[in-house]
Amino acid sequence: MRRLGSVQRKMPCVFVTEVKEEPSTKREHQTFKVLATETVSHKALDADIYSAIPTEKVDGTCCYVTTYKGQPYLWARLDRKPNKLAEKRFKNFLHSKQNSKEFFWNVEEDFKPVPECWIPAKEIEQLNGNPMPDENGHIPGWVPVEKNNKQYCWHSSVVNYEFEIALVLKHHPDDSGLLEITAVPLSDLLEQTLELIGTNINGNPYGLGSKKHPLHLLIPHGAFQIRNLPTLKHSDLLSWFEGCREGKIEGIVWHCNDGCLIKVHRHHLGLCWPIPDTYMNSKPVIINMNLNKRDYAFDTKCLFNHFSKIDHQKFSRLKDIILDE
């Protein structure tokens, strides 16, 4: 199977969208909804959407694995955002009728500072060697997840830099109806993007862990392919999301042959998310840590140690995994 694309920028919707002046079900305090029309977008058609691979859009926070300090590291998403003055100028421009003119950014002066180790995301436009903001006025980028950085403690919980491994959720290689939690060498994930899910991420839509025993996992983007998706029609997709077990997901991401990623979110179709019974929680899951090749001395409180204690155990669904002291 070909390696699927990585998420380095905001993904466009598969349909042309329109703005409706009514309260959003996705974001609190947002007074409008962005809804899909029935027209497939030019971007999707240009990327040959009909031969793309559809995958489950997982609800978490985006991460990236690349080299730092000479070894594979997990990086957290950190967008460089405009300062107050520049943001005000940008918003005034968007609300004015001057959309035929292009907005001018002064990248060196208009943006808040970022840590020295920050890197811009791949695939973003550059001008005179400077990364340029996207249509939302943000410069997507990454910062390395250091072991003792409290801001990224949940990211840090799924990696061990001493042994260079990460906690990953994926399909079992011999059974597509079975999920597997396993320790994967970080070197195997180099230059991939992944989704961090769990107890303290995005309101925990998959019901993982508890406040006392938080549980977080990484899912490589494109890991959960969708096998029996209906035709690319608004009404058929709406019926699929509403009417079948496989449709109990946040959305779909199509991985196109040219590396382009195209999405549709349940909210684009006027549907709710999160929902009580997700497709991810309909499958059994087995713990296969694959740690028998060497001696691992883990910190007793870390996730790797907890999972080592329940290695080879099978659970009827992700929600049922309870980590004890």
Side-chain angles (χ1 to χ4, degrees), residues 259-272:
C260 187
L261 302 177
I262 309 279
K263 73 176 178 186
V264 71
H265 192 290
R266 291 178 74 94
H267 289 127
H268 286 133
L269 303 173
L271 299 174
C272 286

Side-chain angles (χ1 to χ4, degrees), residues 79-91 103 105-107 109-114 133-134 136-139:
D79 287 4
R80 195 169 181 198
K81 296 179 181 177
N83 56 41
K84 282 188 178 178
L85 274 175
E87 186 177 26
K88 191 176 179 182
R89 246 176 56 236
F90 184 56
K91 281 186 175 173
F103 185 79
W105 290 104
N106 182 332
V107 175
E109 294 181 10
D110 286 345
F111 287 84
K112 295 174 185 174
V114 283
D134 59 19
N136 302 300
H138 296 176
I139 306 174

Side-chain angles (χ1 to χ4, degrees), residues 132-289:
M132 295 303 290
D134 59 19
E135 67 271 20
N136 302 300
H138 296 176
I139 306 174
W142 310 100
V143 285
V145 173
E146 300 275 16
K147 186 181 176 183
N148 298 314
N149 186 331
K150 287 186 178 177
Q151 187 180 353
Y152 298 111
C153 59
W154 310 121
H155 292 70
S156 186
S157 72
V158 297
V159 286
N160 183 302
Y161 294 133
E162 183 186 350
F163 303 119
E164 297 191 6
I165 51 177
L167 266 179
V168 170
L169 174 70
K170 57 188 183 69
H171 281 305
H172 190 279
D174 303 321
D175 182 356
S176 62
L178 179 65
L179 296 175
E180 175 184 73
I181 294 171
T182 185
V184 173
L186 277 163
S187 57
D188 289 1
L189 302 171
L190 271 170
E191 300 312 312
Q192 289 189 49
T193 54
L194 311 95
E195 203 75 5
L196 176 69
I197 64 166
T199 313
N200 297 292
I201 305 294
N202 275 13
N204 194 17
Y206 306 107
L208 300 189
S210 64
K211 192 173 181 179
K212 190 177 179 186
H213 301 294
L215 169 54
H216 298 87
L217 299 164
L218 290 167
I219 302 175
H221 286 141
F224 299 150
Q225 291 190 27
I226 299 168
R227 301 290 170 195
N228 300 304
L229 198 63
T231 53
L232 189 49
K233 281 173 62 180
H234 189 289
S235 56
D236 290 350
L237 284 178
L238 187 62
S239 300
W240 182 82
F241 274 115
E242 286 189 301
C244 75
R245 195 173 66 122
E246 290 83 358
K248 292 180 179 296
I249 60 177
E250 186 201 17
I252 303 164
V253 176
W254 285 268
H255 291 250
C256 303
N257 289 322
D258 65 356
C260 187
L261 302 177
I262 309 279
K263 73 176 178 186
V264 71
H265 192 290
R266 291 178 74 94
H267 289 127
H268 286 133
L269 303 173
L271 299 174
C272 286
W273 179 266
I275 54 176
D277 301 304
T278 60
Y279 182 49
M280 200 182 290
N281 262 308
S282 71
K283 294 182 176 185
V285 57
I286 193 166
I287 317 300
N288 275 335
M289 292 299 281

Side-chain angles (χ1 to χ4, degrees), residues 4-19:
L4 299 184
S6 68
V7 179
Q8 294 280 348
R9 60 192 303 174
K10 209 165 174 62
M11 292 179 279
C13 181
V14 70
F15 296 109
V16 174
T17 56
E18 61 183 9
V19 175

